[in-house]
Every structure is written in structure tokens, then in C-alpha cells.
């Protein structure tokens, strides 16, 4: 009933930029933290960036200064602006949200992922 849908992935050259978007929909009473994670082939899923409902952020060291996470609470949207992309940023990027779906608790929900490929 709760869905997170990512968009904005694709192929980009090193040094380029992409903006990922994630829309939350369905039976949602409230959303706490939202975030972006990524998983490269043969590696574990890792945190890229997270943002609280109030706008506090934290980033993986590897993306600090290059990526910016933001959100629009009224639209139930979270974004990831990625600049100065490097080949090692290549991965499937997943949106995550801590969502209260009306069952008196916050649970983790995940999107289906969007592929980001950085290559010349």
C-alpha cells in the first residue's frame, strides 16, 4: 500500500551531474527520516545520504561536497542532486523512508531502485 518510486537515473560521463527523485505514495500518515542508499555489483548496500523531517542531513564521506539531499514534506518527495560524478558512483540507487502507514509504528520502506552508470 505504501510505494516509493525513484526516477532520474541514467548514464552520465565522469564529472557530470544527475538528479534523482523519489515519490512516496499510498496509505501514509507520517514520514520520518528519508534517505538514499546504493549498491554496486558485488558489494553491500551502503548509505549515501539521509535527511530528517526537519531537514538535518548526513552523508557518506565518499560523497560529501558532491551530493546534496533535500526533501519536500508536503509533496512526500526526496531528492538527491549528484555533481562531479565518478565511475565509482556507479550503482543501483535506492530510496528509503521511515513511514507510519497507520499501524502505530514507523517501518522502513524501499523503492525498486534506479541505475546510475558513470562512464565515458
Amino acid at each position: 500500500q505504501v510505494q516509493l518510486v525513484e526516477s532520474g537515473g541514467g548514464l552520465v560521463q565522469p564529472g557530470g551531474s544527475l538528479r534523482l527523485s523519489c515519490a512516496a505514495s499510498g496509505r501514509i500518515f507520517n514520514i520520518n527520516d528519508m534517505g538514499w542508499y546504493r549498491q554496486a555489483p558485488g558489494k553491500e548496500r551502503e548509505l549515501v545520504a539521509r535527511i530528517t523531517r526537519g531537514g538535518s542531513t548526513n552523508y557518506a564521506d565518499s560523497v560529501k561536497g558532491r551530493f546534496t539531499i533535500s526533501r519536500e514534506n508536503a509533496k512526500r518527495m526526496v531528492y538527491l542532486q549528484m555533481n562531479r560524478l565518478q565511475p565509482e558512483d556507479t550503482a543501483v540507487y535506492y530510496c528509503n523512508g521511515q513511514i507510519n502507514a497507520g499501524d502505530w509504528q514507523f517501518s522502513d520502506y524501499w523503492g525498486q531502485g534506479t541505475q546510475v552508470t558513470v562512464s565515458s
Side-chain angles (χ1 to χ4, degrees), residues 1 6 12 17 19-20 29 33 38-39 70 84-85 88 94 105 114-115 118-119:
Q1 293 184 350
E6 303 101 334
V12 64
S17 298
R19 187 186 193 223
L20 305 183
F29 280 63
D33 291 8
R38 67 186 180 187
Q39 188 167 18
S70 61
R84 304 201 312 273
L85 282 160
E88 49 266 38
Y94 296 92
Q105 64 181 358
T114 185
Q115 177 70 46
V118 185
S119 175

Side-chain angles (χ1 to χ4, degrees), residues 18-88:
L18 282 175
R19 187 186 193 223
L20 305 183
S21 300
C22 174
S25 64
R27 181 181 166 86
I28 296 174
F29 280 63
N30 205 349
I31 305 176
N32 274 349
D33 291 8
M34 300 189 80
W36 291 94
Y37 290 72
R38 67 186 180 187
Q39 188 167 18
K43 295 187 176 181
E44 293 186 353
R45 189 174 298 189
E46 64 175 1
L47 171 69
V48 176
R50 288 194 68 81
I51 184 168
T52 68
R53 183 173 179 82
S56 297
T57 59
N58 68 286
Y59 297 90
D61 287 344
S62 59
V63 307
K64 283 180 181 177
R66 300 189 298 123
F67 291 11
T68 302
I69 189 171
S70 61
R71 65 189 284 177
E72 291 185 88
N73 291 331
K75 295 183 179 181
R76 299 174 176 174
M77 298 285 297
V78 63
Y79 308 97
L80 186 68
Q81 178 66 43
M82 305 186 292
N83 298 328
R84 304 201 312 273
L85 282 160
Q86 303 166 5
E88 49 266 38

